[in-house]
């Protein structure tokens, strides 16, 4: 059994990660901003608490009972994700037996065949650029950290990533999208949750980014 705290447990990704981890027998704490409104759809037995990944006080309160802190937050402006990364790195610095950070990031930070970020492509949609830049900044913060915090940044496919079926299968890569024979990179939120909990259990991608798709 692994002790897991999921920030953003009310969200599309976070709720599925909570359910996947709980169904595998792990002890899960769902950290949400409004427990009274967000708890009804979570599995019975999951403890729901008020938690904010951008608050050092909140992170420090929850970290001692966790082996892994999952950051699956969204809905904010561009600063949300780098603020969370800074907060986690600062709050966990020097903490004995600090939990791992599993940050659910953006697919637009993945690289094209020429080595450039997808978010820098000329045809990248303007409406997603701010959030993509925020996620890119968060990734840079993790990569440049030298304070002993163990982290993993998870990038879903850049485009074809939707709620769907849990198949339990996927393939992984690091900095470029995982594609099929037709060049498509596709994954459901349900199978992203499988990949995240697999990583928590197995620790294959410590202090690096990985991506997953079929």
């Amino acid at each position: 059994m692994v002790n897991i705290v999921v920030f953003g447990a009310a969200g599309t990704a976070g709720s599925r990660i909570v359910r996947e981890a709980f169904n595998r027998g792990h002890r899960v704490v769902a950290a949400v901003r409004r427990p009274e409104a967000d708890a009804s759809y979570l599995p019975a037995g999951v403890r729901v608490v008020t938690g904010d990944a951008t608050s050092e006080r909140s992170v420090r309160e929850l970290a001692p009972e966790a082996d892994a802190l999952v950051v699956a937050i969204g809905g904010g402006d561009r600063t949300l994700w780098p603020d969370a990364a800074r907060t986690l790195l600062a709050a966990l610095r020097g903490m004995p037996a600090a939990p791992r950070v599993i940050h659910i990031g953006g697919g637009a930070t993945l690289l094209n065949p020429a080595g450039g970020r997808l978010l820098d492509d000329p045809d990248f949609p303007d409406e997603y650029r701010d959030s993509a830049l925020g996620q890119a900044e968060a990734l840079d913060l993790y990569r440049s950290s030298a304070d002993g915090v163990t982290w993993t940044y998870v990038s879903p496919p850049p485009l074809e990533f939707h709620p769907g079926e849990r198949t339990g299968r996927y393939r992984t890569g690091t900095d470029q999208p995982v594609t099929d024979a037709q060049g498509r990179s596709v994954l459901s939120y349900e199978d992203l949750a499988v990949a995240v909990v697999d990583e928590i259990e197995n620790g294959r991608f410590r202090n690096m980014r990985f991506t997953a798709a079929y």
Side-chain angles (χ1 to χ4, degrees):
M1 179 185 292
V2 180
N3 299 308
I4 303 169
V5 173
V6 180
F7 289 102
T12 307
S15 61
R16 286 160 172 81
I17 294 167
V18 168
R19 187 171 296 277
E20 178 69 26
F22 181 78
N23 286 345
R24 294 202 204 179
H26 299 302
R27 184 179 293 114
V28 185
V29 174
V32 298
R33 292 185 176 181
R34 296 184 301 125
E36 69 283 357
D38 295 326
S40 61
Y41 61 92
L42 294 172
V46 171
R47 184 160 69 92
V48 181
V49 301
T50 302
D52 182 354
T54 64
S55 163
E56 283 195 37
R57 178 178 178 180
S58 183
V59 173
R60 288 193 179 113
E61 286 176 349
L62 292 170
E65 59 184 289
D67 301 304
L69 297 177
V70 177
V71 183
I73 57 176
D77 61 23
R78 173 177 170 174
T79 65
L80 177 65
W81 300 281
D83 283 351
R86 289 189 191 92
T87 298
L88 287 152
L89 291 169
L92 300 179
R93 184 180 299 120
M95 182 179 292
R100 292 178 61 196
V101 175
I102 311 292
H103 183 110
I104 312 306
T109 61
L110 293 165
L111 307 182
N112 61 31
R117 300 181 304 184
L118 296 176
L119 67 90
D120 296 323
D121 290 349
D123 57 352
F124 186 81
D126 287 339
E127 61 266 32
Y128 302 126
R129 194 174 302 279
D130 271 0
S131 60
L133 287 168
Q135 287 283 21
E137 186 178 350
L139 177 58
D140 289 342
L141 286 165
Y142 289 118
R143 283 176 165 168
S144 63
S145 66
D147 46 22
V149 177
T150 302
W151 58 271
T152 299
Y153 185 102
V154 186
S155 285
L159 294 175
E160 297 188 71
F161 177 49
H162 309 286
E165 179 186 0
R166 182 195 186 281
T167 70
R169 61 178 179 82
Y170 60 88
R171 294 176 294 134
T172 59
T174 52
D175 288 329
Q176 292 188 321
V178 174
T179 57
D180 62 17
Q182 289 72 47
R184 297 175 62 199
S185 184
V186 184
L187 191 71
S188 69
Y189 274 90
E190 288 74 9
D191 282 331
L192 176 78
V194 175
V196 168
V197 179
D198 283 351
E199 174 57 25
I200 292 171
E201 292 177 348
N202 301 317
R204 294 177 55 209
F205 298 99
R206 293 177 182 268
N207 296 329
M208 61 188 299
R209 180 251 293 278
F210 82 93
T211 186
Y214 301 127

